[in-house]
């Protein structure tokens, strides 16, 4: 057969195989044959562009391997597996798979024993399926390598000469922050403000590729020295109270009020102490996971709303010293401790806490072995460790503790000695899952009361802050009880819906003045402001700039802004409208995290004189 004809036939077969692969990928990633058909059928979507991309990639890899269509056998299982992982992530956490998710693959592997402990047969089935797939793949590779036609050097050179330049051109148009005429013609439309729509419109492959540049955060429009000087205009200088109180912040894993589930009655009340001391609620930027992103806001006073969708600051952006509550309080003579009964590497906390200015991070490697409640370190034992650390200090003490006991899954009978009863019209499995969660929430609630009782007897004023990082990943429980239509919360909706899906309890309590009350619902980025105000401090950024922002916006979220009177500005980033105060917030955060730090001497003078600096 003449060479041109062989090439034409090979390209035709590659296109057909690529179309089949793309269709399979979209079915798996979307969980819908209809949606996959729509993606390929509509001319204004990049379905056929995706097919062409795969055909070029397979052609290039075939030339590299030296066998026609051998690349398909190698790449198809990998691509389909990644699409399956994306679908599972979307099911449990509400977001598709991003390139940066692979940065914390170690975390996922470490948690597998916990996730499979109550479902051993599921784990066996997954392991068996993996082994069978690997065996079939190895057999197919050996067979095809022996029987498939070997490509001549001429064939391979021609394939590479055609495929490589075109693939390079694809790579050049994936920077979503710049306009691309070619990308526009190929119907690839970056929608980085709404990743669900981004993946639905552009398909899994190109949406995933568009997220590759997110590690590079571009300067926002208007980032100039003059703009920073105007945004960082002098606020009140940092001052401290005559008697500096101890400050203890506890971010409680998945802590939430389960009585919000419709048609569910739990006795006794699992969060009675939190309810009694309630300050308001935190509007979490996450649902069911991604604890580190909530933690980032609560410690720095910065917002995830100004970072690329799907990013994880702890993994990607904290590479140098970043101002935080620990930085400031350390500069004021405090002993600063971060406490979490898990490994230092998890969420990169070891490096992050050091960059945040904590003098010491007590992880499971550094603490005495804590008693377990269920499969994880108990809230009660962690609370006692916090108290032990505080009692050992003579200087003012600041601790930021992240609990572990409340981590999912919430399988029935997690606690054999459970003391709560659940009444619901939902299934027995749902009832027992709620019971497991409620028992853990009650333990967290008791931990708060233990801290309050202890602090009330101390001579030094002690401030206790307690809040949940996000709603628990209860999955089918939400659907079975009618709380939500899907196992995970949507990213957008009415204000009432968003609060329902994002609010977690918040307590700010002082041993001198009692609980701070009537705070309503705030973004975690405003927690530093309220902590320092309660403690009697002033600070140019935390009590100065952030106070000015919260006077206008109680919630700063990627998808909406909410004013103190509960007016909602939806999709504010897409409207192109100008919100000067929010723009200042974005500029200052960029300047400190990625820019020249021009605002640091004015807003964060402690960066130059923090303890240990």
């Amino acid at each position: 057969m003449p060479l041109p004809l062989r090439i034409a036939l090979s390209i035709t077969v590659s296109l057909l195989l690529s179309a089949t692969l793309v269709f399979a990928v979209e079915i798996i990633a979307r969980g819908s044959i209809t949606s996959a058909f729509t993606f390929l059928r509509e001319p204004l979507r990049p379905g056929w562009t995706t097919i062409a991309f795969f055909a070029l990639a397979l052609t290039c890899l075939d030339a590299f391997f030296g066998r026609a269509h051998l690349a398909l056998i190698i790449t198809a299982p990998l691509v389909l597996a990644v699409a399956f992982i994306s679908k599972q992530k979307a099911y449990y956490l509400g977001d598709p798979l991003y390139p940066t998710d692979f940065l914390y693959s170690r975390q996922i592997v470490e948690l597998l024993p916990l996730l499979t402990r109550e479902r051993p047969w599921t784990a066996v089935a997954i392991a068996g399926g993996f082994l069978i797939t690997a065996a079939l793949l190895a057999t197919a590779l050996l067979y095809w390598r022996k029987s498939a036609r070997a490509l001549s050097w001429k064939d391979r050179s021609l394939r590479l000469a055609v495929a490589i330049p075109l693939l390079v051109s694809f790579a050049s148009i994936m920077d979503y922050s710049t306009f691309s005429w070619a990308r526009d013609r190929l119907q690839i439309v970056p929608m980085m403000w709404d990743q669900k729509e981004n993946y639905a419109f552009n398909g899994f492959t190109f949406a995933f590729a568009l997220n590759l540049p997110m590690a590079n955060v571009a300067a926002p429009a208007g980032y100039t020295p003059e703009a920073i000087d105007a945004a960082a205009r002098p606020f009140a200088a940092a001052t401290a109270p005559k008697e500096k109180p101890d400050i203890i912040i506890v971010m409680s894993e998945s802590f939430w009020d389960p009585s919000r589930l419709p048609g569910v009655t739990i006795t006794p009340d699992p969060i009675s102490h939190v309810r009694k001391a309630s300050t308001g609620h935190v509007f979490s930027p996450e649902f069911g996971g991604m604890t580190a992103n909530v933690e980032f806001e609560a410690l720095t006073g910065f917002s995830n709303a100004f970072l690329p969708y799907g990013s994880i600051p702890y993994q990607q952006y904290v590479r140098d010293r970043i101002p935080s509550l620990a930085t400031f309080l350390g500069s004021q003579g405090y002993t600063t401790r971060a406490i979490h009964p898990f490994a230092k590497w998890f969420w990169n906390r070891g490096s992050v806490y050091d960059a945040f200015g904590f003098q010491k991070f007590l992880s499971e490697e550094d603490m005495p072995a804590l008693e377990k409640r269920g499969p994880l370190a108990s809230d009660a034992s962690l609370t006692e460790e916090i108290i032990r650390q505080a009692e050992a200090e003579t200087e003012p003490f600041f601790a930021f503790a992240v609990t572990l006991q409340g981590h999912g899954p919430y399988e029935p009978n997690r606690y054999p000695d459970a003391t709560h009863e659940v009444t619901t019209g939902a299934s027995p499995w749902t009832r027992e899952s709620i019971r497991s969660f409620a028992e853990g929430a009650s333990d967290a609630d008791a931990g708060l009361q233990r801290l309050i009782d202890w602090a009330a007897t101390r001579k030094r004023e002690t401030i206790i802050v307690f809040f949940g990082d996000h709603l628990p990943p209860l999955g089918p429980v939400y659907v079975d009880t009618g709380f939500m239509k899907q196992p995970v919360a949507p990213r957008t909706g009415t204000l009432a819906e968003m609060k329902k899906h994002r609010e977690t309890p918040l307590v700010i309590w002082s041993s001198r003045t009692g609980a701070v009350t009537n705070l309503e619902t705030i973004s975690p980025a405003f927690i530093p402001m309220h902590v320092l105000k309660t403690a009697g401090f002033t600070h140019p950024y935390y009590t100065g700039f952030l106070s000015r922002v919260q006077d206008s916006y109680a919630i700063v979220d990627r998808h909406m802004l909410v004013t103190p009177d509960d007016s909602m500005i939806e999709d504010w980033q897409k409207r192109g409208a100008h919100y000067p105060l929010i723009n200042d917030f974005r500029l200052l955060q960029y300047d400190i995290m990625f820019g020249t730090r021009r605002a640091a001497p004015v807003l964060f003078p402690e960066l130059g004189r923090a303890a240990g600096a």
Side-chain angles (χ1 to χ4, degrees):
M1 184 183 296
L3 178 60
L5 186 57
R6 287 207 311 271
I7 293 174
L9 179 61
S10 180
I11 290 174
T12 301
V13 173
S14 292
L15 286 171
L16 291 173
L17 292 174
S18 298
T20 303
L21 179 57
V22 169
F23 187 48
V25 166
E26 293 300 326
I27 290 175
I28 292 173
R30 296 166 185 266
S32 168
I33 295 177
T34 303
S35 179
F37 263 124
T38 301
F39 173 67
L40 293 176
R41 188 179 65 245
E42 290 190 358
L44 296 180
R45 296 194 187 194
W48 287 100
T49 302
T50 309
I51 292 171
F53 170 78
F54 268 97
L56 289 169
L58 293 175
T59 297
C60 185
L61 289 172
D62 281 343
F64 177 78
F65 293 128
R67 292 288 190 278
H69 310 307
L70 181 60
L72 180 70
I73 299 175
I74 297 173
T75 59
L78 296 175
V79 174
L80 293 173
V82 171
F84 175 77
I85 293 170
S86 180
K87 178 60 180 175
Q88 295 309 301
K89 185 194 172 195
Y91 179 82
Y92 287 106
L93 295 178
D95 279 336
L97 188 72
Y98 304 123
T100 51
D101 289 334
F102 291 102
L103 291 173
Y104 62 98
S105 56
R106 185 180 174 189
Q107 281 94 315
I108 297 172
V109 172
E110 187 75 13
L111 288 174
L112 281 178
L114 172 65
L115 298 175
T116 60
R117 184 181 66 90
E118 300 294 342
R119 299 178 181 178
W121 290 111
T122 301
V124 170
I126 293 173
F130 175 80
L131 292 174
I132 291 171
T133 302
L136 291 174
L137 177 60
T139 302
L141 282 171
L142 290 173
Y143 171 78
W144 195 256
R145 187 158 186 83
K146 289 180 180 178
S147 60
R149 176 179 61 88
L151 298 174
S152 68
W153 284 107
K154 194 173 184 179
D155 281 352
R156 296 169 75 174
S157 299
L158 186 57
R159 288 167 184 264
L160 291 173
V162 172
I164 289 179
L166 292 173
L167 288 172
V168 170
S169 69
F170 269 108
S172 68
I173 64 175
M174 286 299 110
D175 183 0
Y176 63 81
S177 63
T178 60
F179 174 77
S180 168
W181 181 89
R183 185 178 62 217
D184 193 50
R185 301 287 78 76
L186 291 172
Q187 308 300 334
I188 302 171
V189 183
M191 302 179 184
M192 313 314 288
W193 59 86
D194 186 345
Q195 291 287 358
K196 186 175 181 180
E197 183 60 25
N198 190 31
Y199 277 70
F201 182 89
N202 293 305
F204 175 78
T205 302
F206 281 130
F208 186 86
L210 284 167
N211 280 290
L212 284 169
M214 72 165 58
N216 178 32
V217 179
Y223 178 60
T224 63
E226 294 76 18
I228 293 300
D229 291 344
R233 63 180 182 272
F235 293 92
T239 61
K242 185 177 181 180
E243 180 187 347
K244 297 173 182 175
D246 284 352
I247 300 171
I248 296 172
I249 301 178
V250 177
M251 187 173 74
S252 185
E253 172 63 43
S254 297
F255 187 82
W256 179 65
D257 181 1
S259 69
R260 288 191 170 198
L261 293 169
V264 173
T265 302
I266 305 170
T267 53
D269 182 0
I271 65 164
S272 59
H273 299 115
V274 168
R275 216 180 296 283
K276 181 180 178 181
S278 176
T279 294
H281 291 89
V282 166
F283 186 90
S284 178
E286 302 294 344
F287 176 90
M290 308 298 284
T291 295
N293 284 354
V294 187
E295 190 176 322
F296 165 76
E297 292 200 13
L299 281 171
T300 64
F302 293 150
S303 176
N304 288 283
F306 308 132
L307 298 174
Y309 204 131
S311 61
I312 307 163
Y314 273 28
Q315 298 281 11
Q316 297 154 267
Y317 307 134
V318 181
R319 294 291 180 264
D320 198 358
R321 294 178 65 201
I322 299 288
S324 76
L325 278 176
T327 315
F328 172 61
L329 292 173
S331 74
Q332 294 292 319
Y334 275 72
T335 297
T336 58
R337 295 280 186 273
I339 307 174
H340 179 53
F342 206 62
K344 274 186 168 67
W345 59 262
F346 202 79
W347 287 127
N348 198 33
R349 283 191 172 103
S351 298
V352 169
Y353 287 153
D354 183 61
F356 280 0
F358 282 99
Q359 294 154 9
K360 190 173 184 180
F361 172 26
L362 296 174
S363 66
E364 67 175 358
E365 296 97 335
D366 308 302
M367 288 186 286
L370 301 184
E371 290 184 6
K372 291 188 176 182
R373 176 97 159 102
L376 300 169
S378 73
D379 284 355
S381 59
L382 179 62
T383 300
E384 295 306 319
E385 180 63 23
I386 294 170
I387 291 172
R388 189 177 75 83
Q389 291 289 328
E391 292 287 8
E393 298 297 332
T394 56
E395 297 300 320
F397 180 69
F398 168 57
F400 180 83
V402 182
T403 71
L404 187 61
Q405 181 186 332
H407 203 290
Y410 311 100
E411 298 291 334
N413 304 314
R414 176 170 175 165
Y415 304 104
D417 57 347
T419 59
H420 290 75
E421 294 297 328
V422 177
T423 303
T424 176
S427 69
W429 188 95
T430 292
R431 181 187 66 242
E432 292 305 311
S433 182
I434 295 171
R435 191 171 184 233
S436 290
F437 174 77
E439 193 71 17
S442 178
D443 288 347
D445 182 76
L448 169 66
Q449 190 59 41
R450 168 71 175 115
L451 286 173
I452 288 176
D453 291 342
W454 161 73
T457 65
R458 305 185 74 212
K459 182 178 180 181
R460 187 194 297 272
E461 180 185 9
T462 304
I463 293 169
I464 308 294
V465 181
F466 179 97
F467 66 99
D469 54 352
H470 51 68
L471 267 69
L474 286 166
V477 169
Y478 292 128
V479 179
D480 202 12
T481 59
F483 182 78
M484 295 189 303
K485 293 181 180 179
Q486 300 294 330
V488 294
R491 286 289 185 181
T492 57
T494 66
L495 180 57
E497 290 170 338
M498 296 309 294
K499 284 189 173 183
K500 174 182 173 183
H501 300 155
R502 295 285 190 268
E503 279 185 342
T504 63
L506 170 65
V507 172
I508 302 176
W509 178 92
S510 164
S511 60
R512 296 280 174 83
T513 59
V516 175
T517 57
N518 301 318
L519 200 55
E520 300 301 333
T521 303
I522 62 170
S523 287
F526 295 119
I527 288 177
M529 177 191 75
H530 291 286
V531 169
L532 293 182
K533 281 188 173 182
T534 304
F537 287 94
T538 63
H539 183 273
Y541 179 79
Y542 296 121
T543 65
F545 179 76
L546 283 184
S547 289
R548 188 158 65 93
V549 175
Q550 203 203 324
D551 286 343
S552 298
Y553 305 102
I555 298 173
V556 178
D557 182 71
R558 183 172 277 109
H559 297 284
M560 66 179 191
L561 303 172
V562 180
T563 63
D565 63 358
D566 263 2
S567 295
M568 176 182 176
I569 304 169
E570 193 174 6
D571 292 332
W572 61 276
Q573 299 203 56
K574 291 197 292 186
R575 292 185 175 188
H578 188 56
Y579 304 96
L581 195 53
I582 296 299
N583 189 53
D584 286 351
F585 197 174
R586 184 197 297 269
L587 289 172
L588 291 173
Q589 178 171 316
Y590 178 86
D591 180 62
I592 298 299
M593 289 188 68
F594 310 105
T596 63
R597 297 196 166 188
R598 184 180 179 89
V602 174
L603 295 184
F604 300 101
E606 65 272 14
L607 281 177
R609 53 182 172 82

